[in-house]
Amino acid sequence: MGETTFRFILFGWILIALVIFIILLFIAAPYGRHFKKNFGPSVNAKLGWILMESPAPLIFAIFFFSSIHSYTIIPVLFLIMWQIHYLDRAFIYPLTLRLSSKPLPIAVLVAGIIFNTLNAYLNSYYIANNISKYSVSWLFDIRFLFGIGLFIFGFIINRQSDYILYRIRLHTGQEYGIPENGLYRWISCPNYLGEIFIWLGWTVATWSPVAAAFSLWSIANLVPRARSHHRWYKETFQDYPVERRILLPWLW
Ligand SMILES: NC(=O)c1ccc[n+]([C@@H]2O[C@H](COP(=O)([O-])OP(=O)(O)OC[C@H]3O[C@@H](n4cnc5c(N)ncnc54)[C@H](OP(=O)(O)O)[C@@H]3O)[C@@H](O)[C@H]2O)c1
């Protein structure tokens, strides 16, 4: 891919994220608690999440191994970070979903597959084509160290928060409850805040415009969704804590 084509694709990719952000401010993505039958046919959520997320680890690995021929520590660390997140998201996380979970509309599934395929390709492409930037000295670069730290911090928050939600159903048998522990004490969607930190950390560690576009996509998806979840909690539970914010403790 030439430099001009790459810039053109990246620009389009960022533009689509902005359009999606605006749409999602008005229409909550119709899966999970916001599922609606009128969004067409759907599949079982477990199967849907596996199909939707598995292109991310597969495409990244295929492109990585087919285009990088001498392996140095930094690109391998990026590969490990990506795979730890996505193998878990694609193959472990769906196991925590109940068979009776709300189905995933095929429209959302297809959009997710297209997004994950292109996003994994672009992230892997950038690393493979900027291999000289990621020499051993990058290991001691403040951007790499801070980025890795933020990635790990976000990962812990995201997984801990998803686990708290998982335990609500496991222990109470209720479909939905008010989450009480961890960062839920302050905000309605700490799993989304953790996810945003993961990709901001990835962006800083790789110092890549493609990763920055991915962070933008995550914000475009998750900020409006956190807003919809927060509204839903307040409408559904009379005793929902009034001091709890949406995504940023004490602020919003
Ligand atoms: N990078 C990105 O752009 C992106 C986009 C989307 C998702 N994700 C990540 O994917 C993961 C799942 O996303 P999601 O949108 O499905 O998150 P979610 O709406 O918070 O739901 C997570 C899981 O917990 C269940 N759940 C949610 N609230 C609950 C409650 N109050 N009581 C009991 N169970 C509850 C959900 O069931 P139901 O599904 O039946 O509601 C679902 O199984 C998250 O970690 C998120 O960060 C990332």
Side-chain angles (χ1 to χ4, degrees), residues 31 33 89 97 158 162 169 176-177 191-192 195 229 233:
Y31 70 93
R33 78 194 70 186
R89 174 69 76 237
L97 303 177
N158 175 261
D162 274 345
R169 285 186 183 169
Y176 293 103
N191 52 346
Y192 294 167
E195 183 90 28
H229 275 19
Y233 273 123

Side-chain angles (χ1 to χ4, degrees), residues 5-249:
T5 315
F6 175 73
R7 278 168 193 250
F8 182 74
I9 292 175
L10 192 60
F11 178 73
W13 195 227
I14 290 171
L15 210 61
I16 299 171
L18 295 176
V19 172
I20 297 280
F21 175 70
I22 293 167
I23 294 173
L24 291 179
L25 285 176
F26 298 98
I27 306 166
Y31 70 93
R33 78 194 70 186
H34 306 293
F35 173 76
K36 288 194 183 62
K37 285 202 174 99
N38 57 4
F39 272 85
S42 49
V43 293
N44 169 272
K46 265 182 196 289
L47 175 67
W49 273 88
I50 294 172
L51 293 176
M52 184 165 75
E53 300 294 319
S54 53
L58 293 178
I59 300 291
F60 192 98
I62 290 170
F63 196 77
F64 187 93
F65 288 116
S66 61
S67 53
I68 298 178
H69 300 295
S70 72
Y71 300 108
T72 50
I73 177 108
I74 297 290
V76 170
L77 281 175
F78 289 151
L79 174 73
I80 292 171
M81 287 161 71
W82 186 274
Q83 296 299 340
I84 284 178
H85 172 80
Y86 270 118
L87 288 174
D88 180 63
R89 174 69 76 237
F91 301 109
I92 310 288
Y93 173 73
L95 298 180
T96 68
L97 303 177
R98 290 186 313 180
L99 273 174
S100 58
S101 282
K102 297 214 174 65
L104 192 72
I106 288 180
V108 174
L109 171 64
V110 171
I113 291 175
I114 294 171
F115 170 78
N116 280 316
T117 302
L118 202 55
N119 189 48
Y121 167 72
L122 287 173
N123 274 275
S124 185
Y125 172 89
Y126 184 86
I127 293 170
N129 281 273
N130 290 274
I131 214 79
S132 57
K133 168 172 156 181
Y134 302 125
S135 64
V136 176
S137 63
W138 193 252
L139 206 54
F140 306 102
D141 192 293
I142 188 70
R143 290 165 288 186
F144 179 72
L145 296 172
F146 178 76
I148 289 262
L150 189 57
F151 182 95
I152 294 171
F153 182 59
F155 188 88
I156 292 169
I157 293 177
N158 175 261
R159 269 33 182 204
Q160 185 212 30
S161 308
D162 274 345
Y163 185 63
I164 289 172
L165 296 179
Y166 166 69
R167 281 170 59 95
I168 292 178
R169 285 186 183 169
L170 195 68
H171 291 299
T172 67
Q174 290 172 281
E175 191 177 18
Y176 293 103
I178 301 178
E180 299 291 356
N181 302 319
L183 289 186
Y184 286 102
R185 277 176 281 230
W186 294 282
I187 52 175
S188 292
C189 299
N191 52 346
Y192 294 167
L193 181 65
E195 183 90 28
I196 290 170
F197 283 164
I198 291 176
W199 299 117
L200 287 176
W202 171 260
T203 300
V204 178
T206 57
W207 209 246
S208 136
V210 173
F214 182 18
S215 286
L216 204 67
W217 265 94
S218 297
I219 291 168
N221 268 313
L222 298 178
V223 168
R225 191 163 179 81
R227 191 165 151 263
S228 306
H229 275 19
H230 186 72
R231 193 178 296 153
W232 178 92
Y233 273 123
K234 288 203 296 186
E235 286 166 5
T236 308
F237 298 105
Q238 301 292 317
D239 52 344
Y240 196 68
V242 282
E243 69 285 0
R244 200 174 287 188
R245 301 291 180 216
I246 301 175
L247 205 54
L248 299 173

